[in-house]
Amino acid sequence: MRLSLGSAAVLPHAGPNDLAIDLGTANTRVYIPGEGVVLDEPSVIAIDVRDKKVLAVGRSAKAMTGRAPESIQVISPVRRGVIADVGAAREMLDHFMRAVAGRWRVRRPRVAVVIPYGTTQVEKRAVRELGGSVGAGKVHLIEEPVAAALGAGLPVSTPGAHTIVNIGGGTTEVAVLSLSGVVGCESMRTGGEDLDEALIQHVRKGHSLMIGALQAEELKLATGSMSVSERESPTREIKGRNLITGLPKTVGVSVQELREALQESLAAFLNAVRTCLERIPPELAADIVDTGIVLTGGGALLRGLETELRAMTHLPIRIGREPAHCAVLGAGRAMEQPGLLTAMSVST
């Protein structure tokens, strides 16, 4: 049974007929007021190309990446924070909605969807239409840095600067917030997936070994960025296809070498932080000396990033609690406060 979503004419307090969605490049997350984050799955869907039947969604579909026969198409419908394949996104979101439908006792919920800062009007309409295609009558759009800041517990509705660095799978946003709005923001259509690609290209060029996206992601999470622990193994075993012989092969690569392969991409994140801070008014700059910077998004867990930011800015740096969930938590909390939802929602 398909879900039917809708809204009332006014903005009541959130209840079981409301939910928030973070439709991310890497993961889709769903929050229900009173219950918390009830779904966190990879934004991946597997479809049979012969009859267009959905074979798998989420983790089971992601496990097929690089392993599926020609009859199965594995799709990531959200790219760089925007919908790249409308049909696949509709099927994926419909599956996720039905997966949590048993938690609802009231039909036709209102929906708040997190979108990247700087999303175009066309992209915003695509998100609203996607919500409508799974039955939504009303969709509120909330920009990701504002939602992430609220989810991290920052008092975004008060005067005074609060800085958020949100690193997702396909986008990175460095934003200074005050009075529920964005004062300044540097938004890049780069994120954790670019670090994966940097590792793939490095291993390919330096060791003539082709590896897949799943192994690159595991390497990224295992090696992190700059700081090396004396207790960890100095090398990593990498398995892939030798580009010279065409045969499977295992090579040992030093952790330091892998971290150096990430330097160029990580430098772009650091430069974005510097650029954003250089452009803010002096009154807000004075606030940031005290409030510092909060890291959110899955990329906040990159080892060493916190240390590098502190060394570059000489500001207090902390990682938000549950950084990967901050955006969807913030969108959900906005729904629980009608005035805040009105102030944070963006129009198309």
Side-chain angles (χ1 to χ4, degrees):
M1 179 181 70
R2 293 181 66 84
L3 296 177
S4 180
L5 311 181
S7 68
V10 295
L11 294 176
H13 288 280
N17 59 327
D18 299 296
L19 72 157
I21 300 173
D22 179 6
L23 190 62
T25 301
N27 284 69
T28 295
R29 301 174 177 96
V30 178
Y31 172 96
I32 296 179
E35 297 194 37
V37 178
V38 297
L39 183 139
D40 184 352
E41 290 278 343
S43 299
V44 184
I45 183 170
I47 297 175
D48 191 316
V49 299
R50 295 165 295 189
D51 57 10
K52 305 302 180 183
K53 180 180 178 181
V54 177
L55 302 177
V57 177
R59 288 182 178 83
S60 56
K62 184 175 181 177
M64 298 181 183
T65 301
R67 299 186 174 106
E70 292 184 359
S71 60
I72 298 176
Q73 186 178 15
V74 181
I75 305 170
S76 296
V78 182
R79 303 296 299 171
R80 306 298 179 191
V82 300
I83 300 169
D85 188 321
V86 175
R90 182 187 305 115
E91 292 285 356
M92 182 185 73
L93 185 58
D94 184 59
H95 176 92
F96 289 152
M97 301 277 268
R98 286 186 282 110
V100 300
R103 299 175 180 270
W104 297 336
R105 293 174 178 80
V106 181
R107 300 178 64 186
R108 306 187 63 79
R110 297 178 301 152
V111 178
V113 182
V114 177
I115 59 173
Y117 181 84
T119 299
T120 67
Q121 296 299 319
V122 172
E123 292 165 348
K124 291 175 185 176
R125 283 197 295 271
V127 174
R128 289 192 187 278
E129 290 170 3
L130 176 63
S133 71
V134 295
K138 180 67 174 178
V139 178
H140 297 278
L141 305 181
I142 302 177
E143 290 176 326
E144 192 158 18
V146 182
L150 183 61
L154 299 182
V156 296
S157 60
T158 62
H162 298 279
T163 306
I164 198 93
V165 177
N166 186 73
I167 304 175
T171 60
T172 297
E173 292 137 330
V174 183
V176 177
L177 312 169
S178 180
L179 295 172
S180 302
V182 177
V183 177
C185 182
E186 287 294 314
S187 180
M188 305 183 297
R189 293 293 171 96
T190 57
E193 290 187 351
D194 294 275
L195 299 177
D196 300 341
E197 183 61 27
L199 290 173
I200 291 173
Q201 293 303 319
H202 176 82
V203 173
R204 180 177 182 273
K205 295 175 182 177
H207 298 273
S208 298
L209 193 74
M210 180 63 73
I211 63 173
L214 294 182
Q215 186 172 185
E217 182 181 15
E218 292 173 359
L219 284 172
K220 175 189 67 180
L221 296 176
T223 60
S225 57
M226 294 83 170
S227 53
V228 181
S229 169
E230 296 179 355
R231 294 173 302 205
E232 69 184 348
S233 172
T235 62
R236 299 282 180 188
E237 280 195 351
I238 302 178
K239 302 174 183 178
R241 177 168 57 85
N242 188 295
L243 293 174
I244 299 174
T245 66
L247 299 175
K249 184 180 179 180
T250 301
V251 299
V253 181
S254 72
V255 171
Q256 185 60 34
E257 178 185 340
L258 293 173
R259 290 198 170 108
E260 289 174 356
L262 298 176
Q263 294 308 299
E264 184 176 349
S265 297
L266 289 167
F269 298 150
L270 299 177
N271 288 335
V273 175
R274 180 188 296 275
T275 301
C276 184
L277 293 178
E278 288 175 346
R279 294 178 178 175
I280 61 173
E283 292 82 1
L284 296 180
D287 293 336
I288 294 173
V289 171
D290 297 323
T291 59
I293 297 174
V294 177
L295 304 179
T296 62
L301 299 175
L302 282 171
R303 295 165 54 192
L305 181 59
E306 180 183 5
T307 302
E308 288 297 309
L309 274 174
R310 186 179 294 110
M312 183 191 75
T313 63
H314 304 289
L315 294 171
I317 310 290
R318 70 177 177 89
I319 299 174
R321 184 181 179 184
E322 297 183 84
H325 290 168
C326 281
V328 74
L329 287 171
R333 289 168 185 169
M335 298 201 78
E336 297 168 351
Q337 304 176 52
L340 190 56
L341 179 62
T342 301
M344 293 174 59
S345 296
V346 296
S347 59
T348 53

